[in-house]
Amino acid sequence: CTQIGKTSMDKNFYNEASASKLGWDPSWFGEKYFDDKLTRAVKVFQRALGLIADGLCGPATFRRLWTNRQENIDVHVPDKCQYSNYIVFNGNFTHIDWEKVVLWSEPNGLKSKRGTYYDYTGRPKRKIRYFVNHWDVCLSSKSCQRILDMRGISVHFLIDNDGTIYQTMDMQHAGWHAGSERTNRPSIGVEISNAYYPKYQDWYIKNGFGERPIIEKAYINGNELGPFMGFYPKQLEALKALWKAVHESTGIPYETPLNQFGKTSNYYEQQVAYGKFKGFVSHYHVSKRKIDCAGLDIKALLDEVKED
């Protein structure tokens, strides 16, 4: 093997190892394989950005590549769609079997503000342990995003009244949605639109969304809640589709905290709050001060997802 050939082979091995660690693949540069064509494509990308054109996609090059993709992530959505849409984790796309999904850079998309989440741009793929469900106590996902921006916090997904799913940032980032660094760093979350208080029922009817179910005699941490509005069936179907896609993308297992009868727990769970649980939870499982999402039977919904 000549010295030139050996150098080229070393670069191919380097790029393959880099891709395995950081989570990219040759298609990000318009190629199929870890070969000399990929090395040349990396060099072209590096020259265009004023980087040293060595053909090696190291951390610095990958960071620039990742940032460029994130700015217009919808441009990179695969041409052949098995389903209607995708969600994004570390710049990679996972099918979601739902017809209304809007990414942060698409028209009418909702985007988390910089500085409101732990930024893991260009870092190795984040290890995500659990998914936290919230209700937003807002009239719509757009008003929820405005309030999140004002408060300097963030969440990965929003589900609107009509079932539209908004992804506000790549799941690679850790949103500030679950209360503390200990719970935010290993998790992702969704805010499901629901103004909660029955006095807003007339607004939903007036604006064409229809009447929301009323939940009564719900208990959280042993305390009975007053009557409140539940989720629309369309929102629950969107939620199940999102859970399925998240499971396939991140490996979060179809598990939730259970009580002694094998039902969804209605109590704060220390193992969740301390990051020792893997699965799908409600916000009250994470914090004793929270009541969302009371009435959401995660166990029953996960059973439906697994049956599908």
Side-chain angles (χ1 to χ4, degrees), residues 43-100:
K43 288 182 178 179
V44 170
F45 175 81
Q46 290 170 325
R47 290 192 189 100
L49 295 179
L51 302 172
I52 297 175
D54 57 8
L56 303 176
C57 186
T61 297
F62 175 66
R63 186 178 182 88
R64 297 292 295 274
L65 172 66
W66 199 90
T67 301
N68 284 358
R69 286 174 62 88
Q70 294 291 305
E71 288 177 355
N72 294 286
I73 192 68
D74 53 295
V75 174
H76 301 282
V77 172
D79 293 329
K80 295 181 180 179
C81 298
Q82 179 180 352
Y83 301 121
S84 300
N85 271 296
Y86 295 82
I87 60 171
V88 185
F89 179 27
N90 198 34
N92 295 307
F93 296 88
T94 297
H95 294 287
I96 178 170
D97 192 7
W98 195 247
E99 71 275 12
K100 297 178 180 179

Side-chain angles (χ1 to χ4, degrees), residues 147-218:
I147 291 174
L148 291 173
D149 292 343
M150 289 168 49
R151 294 180 60 193
I153 55 179
S154 60
V155 73
H156 302 85
F157 297 98
L158 304 165
I159 298 180
D160 217 341
N161 299 309
D162 64 352
T164 298
I165 298 173
Y166 295 95
Q167 184 170 1
T168 71
M169 60 177 158
D170 195 309
M171 289 186 286
Q172 171 71 357
H173 300 310
W176 296 349
H177 65 98
S180 69
E181 180 178 349
R182 183 173 59 198
T183 51
N184 286 329
R185 288 193 184 276
S187 68
I188 55 179
V190 62
E191 290 277 4
I192 311 169
S193 189
N194 180 5
Y196 180 75
Y197 299 102
K199 66 179 182 180
Y200 292 111
Q201 186 75 275
D202 290 343
W203 184 93
Y204 288 107
I205 296 172
K206 179 181 177 180
N207 285 273
F209 296 110
E211 186 174 348
R212 283 183 176 270
I214 299 296
I215 309 298
E216 299 187 59
K217 297 186 181 301

Side-chain angles (χ1 to χ4, degrees), residues 22-306:
L22 299 175
W24 62 274
D25 63 69
S27 67
W28 287 28
F29 291 96
E31 299 298 335
K32 292 184 177 180
Y33 308 106
F34 293 95
D35 56 14
D36 294 347
K37 291 179 65 177
L38 174 61
T39 301
R40 290 193 291 270
V42 173
K43 288 182 178 179
V44 170
F45 175 81
Q46 290 170 325
R47 290 192 189 100
L49 295 179
L51 302 172
I52 297 175
D54 57 8
L56 303 176
C57 186
T61 297
F62 175 66
R63 186 178 182 88
R64 297 292 295 274
L65 172 66
W66 199 90
T67 301
N68 284 358
R69 286 174 62 88
Q70 294 291 305
E71 288 177 355
N72 294 286
I73 192 68
D74 53 295
V75 174
H76 301 282
V77 172
D79 293 329
K80 295 181 180 179
C81 298
Q82 179 180 352
Y83 301 121
S84 300
N85 271 296
Y86 295 82
I87 60 171
V88 185
F89 179 27
N90 198 34
N92 295 307
F93 296 88
T94 297
H95 294 287
I96 178 170
D97 192 7
W98 195 247
E99 71 275 12
K100 297 178 180 179
V101 182
V102 185
L103 300 180
W104 59 89
S105 70
E106 291 183 294
N108 300 316
L110 301 176
K111 184 177 183 179
S112 294
K113 290 178 64 175
R114 285 188 176 276
T116 66
Y117 52 83
Y118 297 113
D119 189 329
Y120 293 134
T121 298
R123 300 273 294 277
K125 184 181 290 187
R126 185 164 71 99
K127 295 180 180 179
I128 301 172
R129 300 178 64 86
Y130 54 91
F131 182 105
V132 183
N133 297 280
H134 309 262
W135 57 43
D136 62 7
V137 197
C138 294
L139 291 170
S140 70
S141 289
K142 290 184 179 179
S143 63
C144 175
Q145 187 60 56
R146 285 195 295 270
I147 291 174
L148 291 173
D149 292 343
M150 289 168 49
R151 294 180 60 193
I153 55 179
S154 60
V155 73
H156 302 85
F157 297 98
L158 304 165
I159 298 180
D160 217 341
N161 299 309
D162 64 352
T164 298
I165 298 173
Y166 295 95
Q167 184 170 1
T168 71
M169 60 177 158
D170 195 309
M171 289 186 286
Q172 171 71 357
H173 300 310
W176 296 349
H177 65 98
S180 69
E181 180 178 349
R182 183 173 59 198
T183 51
N184 286 329
R185 288 193 184 276
S187 68
I188 55 179
V190 62
E191 290 277 4
I192 311 169
S193 189
N194 180 5
Y196 180 75
Y197 299 102
K199 66 179 182 180
Y200 292 111
Q201 186 75 275
D202 290 343
W203 184 93
Y204 288 107
I205 296 172
K206 179 181 177 180
N207 285 273
F209 296 110
E211 186 174 348
R212 283 183 176 270
I214 299 296
I215 309 298
E216 299 187 59
K217 297 186 181 301
Y219 289 83
I220 296 298
N221 289 319
N223 300 313
E224 182 179 354
L225 306 179
F228 61 91
M229 292 188 297
F231 301 125
Y232 288 118
K234 191 76 169 178
Q235 291 179 302
L236 294 179
E237 291 302 314
L239 183 62
K240 289 192 295 182
L242 179 58
W243 287 350
K244 181 179 179 182
V246 165
H247 163 77
E248 293 175 352
S249 177
T250 67
I252 294 176
Y254 289 137
E255 302 290 343
T256 196
L258 303 176
N259 61 22
Q260 66 269 36
F261 305 108
K263 305 294 185 180
T264 303
S265 169
N266 293 326
Y267 285 82
Y268 162 82
E269 300 286 344
Q270 187 173 3
Q271 61 174 334
V272 178
Y274 282 80
K276 297 180 180 180
F277 180 81
K278 293 182 179 181
F280 294 81
V281 305
S282 279
H283 199 185
Y284 67 78
H285 289 130
V286 179
S287 171
K288 295 179 181 179
R289 297 181 293 105
K290 300 298 181 179
I291 60 172
D292 54 326
C293 295
L296 182 67
D297 191 344
I298 298 178
K299 172 64 165 57
L301 293 176
L302 285 177
D303 287 345
E304 293 176 13
V305 173
K306 288 186 285 187

